[in-house]
Amino acid sequence: AEGPRVSSPPPLEGPDVWDHKNHRFRPRQSLISTIRCWKCRRVGHLPQDCVAFLEGDERNRRMYSPLLRRWHNKCQKILQEDASCHVCGIRSNLARCLHCSLVFCDGRGHLVDHLRENPSHTTLLSYKLERLVKC
């Protein structure tokens, strides 16, 4: 007595199960929700994405250098800003070049063009990934 099946994105695991009482599929668990970070011991993110030690009490702050904490704070402020591509004005698939502070979209090739024209610009902040990317 299982309802119709629908395809779900790959990061979700488990079978689709129809909830007859609520007339919908039951939510499936994400693979990431089963991962426990070894740094903070919390579930739901990978250790490389952990920011628990960047904020918090003083004994945790010793784990990261002041420079890394400043970068983290700077990136968090940048990600809160309303951004659009410097070339075309689009607001999706964006990355900010941290060498020149310009924002480019990746979907129309403006980011690739910028990196080809400026090979020394190797550090980007991805708005989609919400993290630093080095090229």
Side-chain angles (χ1 to χ4, degrees), residues 12 25 32 46:
L12 299 176
F25 285 103
I32 197 73
L46 299 171

Side-chain angles (χ1 to χ4, degrees), residues 9-25:
L12 299 176
E13 64 179 15
D16 289 326
V17 178
W18 184 254
D19 184 349
H20 292 283
K21 183 178 179 182
N22 295 316
H23 305 288
R24 62 181 175 160
F25 285 103

Side-chain angles (χ1 to χ4, degrees), residues 23-83:
H23 305 288
R24 62 181 175 160
F25 285 103
R26 291 186 184 140
R28 296 191 310 162
Q29 193 172 25
S30 169
L31 291 176
I32 197 73
S33 68
T34 61
I35 295 173
R36 182 177 298 276
C37 172
W38 60 264
K39 289 182 180 179
C40 68
R41 308 230 186 275
R42 294 184 184 151
V43 175
H45 64 272
L46 299 171
Q48 61 264 30
D49 297 324
C50 184
V51 295
F53 295 109
L54 293 174
E55 303 157 356
D57 64 52
E58 191 56 41
R59 84 189 129 110
N60 289 338
R61 289 179 172 230
R62 285 183 248 140
M63 186 171 189
Y64 292 105
S65 70
L67 177 63
L68 184 58
R69 286 196 308 272
R70 280 196 303 273
W71 269 106
H72 172 76
N73 292 336
K74 179 180 179 178
C75 290
Q76 291 303 309
K77 287 179 185 175
I78 289 172
L79 289 171
Q80 292 174 0
E81 297 173 3
D82 189 32

Side-chain angles (χ1 to χ4, degrees), residues 72-120:
H72 172 76
N73 292 336
K74 179 180 179 178
C75 290
Q76 291 303 309
K77 287 179 185 175
I78 289 172
L79 289 171
Q80 292 174 0
E81 297 173 3
D82 189 32
S84 61
C85 179
H86 174 72
V87 178
C88 67
I90 199 167
R91 295 182 182 273
S92 61
N93 293 333
L94 300 177
R96 179 181 296 264
C97 175
L98 295 181
H99 293 272
C100 63
S101 295
L102 295 175
V103 177
F104 299 96
C105 67
D106 193 26
R108 295 186 180 177
H110 300 138
L111 178 60
V112 173
D113 293 343
H114 174 74
L115 293 174
R116 284 186 182 144
E117 292 169 8
N118 303 284
S120 64

